[in-house]
Amino acid sequence: MVSKRIFLVFVLPVIFSVVFGTAVMNDILEKPGRELNMWPMSFSEGFSTHKSSIEIIDLAKLYTTSTPVEIQIKINDSSFDCGDLYVTIYSSTNDVVTQGGYFEQCFGEGMGTIPINDNFSKTIDSPGSYEIVAEMVSKQLETISTRGTFTVK
C-alpha cells in the first residue's frame, strides 16, 4: 500500500516529466534554424563564428581616467543586418565594469556601423588593463563577437 503511494506521488510524476520534456524538446529542435547550444555566451573558447565579420572601430590602446571610451562596431556580414548588440568592458580580474545593450539594430542589406543613432561611450575612472567585448545576436539567434584590450592610466 505504501509503495503504491510512493510510486504514484514521486516516481510517476518524474516519468511523465521526462517523457513530456523529451517530446517538447524534440518538437522544438525539429523546427528549421534551431539548435541546442548550452553555453551561447562562452568566452573561454574561440570567439568569432564568422572570421572578421565584426570589428571594433575607434578603440585606442590607451585612455586617461577623464577620457571616455567611445567606440562603434562594424558588421561585415549581411546576415547580421538586424539584431541586438551587447558591449561589455571587463577588468583584468574578469569583473564586469560596464555593459551596454542596443536592441533592434537594423541597418539594411549593406554593411554598417552600430549602434545606430547612439554611441557607446563610457568613462572608466580606475587605472588598469581592460578588455572590451562586442557581441551581435541576429534575429535568427546566431552570434558573432570580437574583443579588444586597452589600458587606462
Side-chain angles (χ1 to χ4, degrees), residues 112-130:
T113 57
I114 49 179
I116 298 171
N117 298 326
D118 204 349
N119 64 346
F120 179 84
S121 178
K122 302 292 181 186
T123 302
I124 299 175
D125 55 3
S126 299
S129 180
Y130 295 89

Side-chain angles (χ1 to χ4, degrees), residues 103-151:
F103 305 107
E104 296 294 320
Q105 296 293 302
C106 298
F107 50 85
E109 290 298 318
M111 310 312 166
T113 57
I114 49 179
I116 298 171
N117 298 326
D118 204 349
N119 64 346
F120 179 84
S121 178
K122 302 292 181 186
T123 302
I124 299 175
D125 55 3
S126 299
S129 180
Y130 295 89
E131 181 176 42
I132 187 166
V133 176
E135 184 175 40
M136 180 74 167
V137 180
S138 73
K139 289 196 175 206
Q140 293 79 26
L141 300 178
E142 293 180 14
T143 302
I144 54 174
S145 55
T146 188
R147 64 175 75 194
T149 57
F150 62 94
T151 304

Side-chain angles (χ1 to χ4, degrees), residues 11-73:
V11 178
L12 195 58
V14 170
I15 292 171
F16 283 138
S17 296
V18 169
V19 169
F20 182 72
T22 302
V24 169
M25 188 64 84
N26 185 41
D27 182 53
I28 289 172
L29 290 176
E30 282 182 355
K31 294 181 180 174
R34 292 291 191 149
E35 64 182 41
L36 184 61
N37 188 355
M38 298 298 284
W39 290 280
M41 300 271 193
S42 175
F43 298 124
S44 61
E45 296 178 6
F47 227 68
S48 181
T49 57
H50 297 76
K51 195 166 191 161
S52 71
S53 55
I54 181 172
E55 59 186 280
I56 300 172
I57 299 175
D58 299 330
L59 179 66
K61 294 292 180 192
L62 182 65
Y63 292 93
T64 63
T65 54
S66 61
T67 305
V69 177
E70 293 182 347
I71 62 157
Q72 287 217 308
I73 308 300

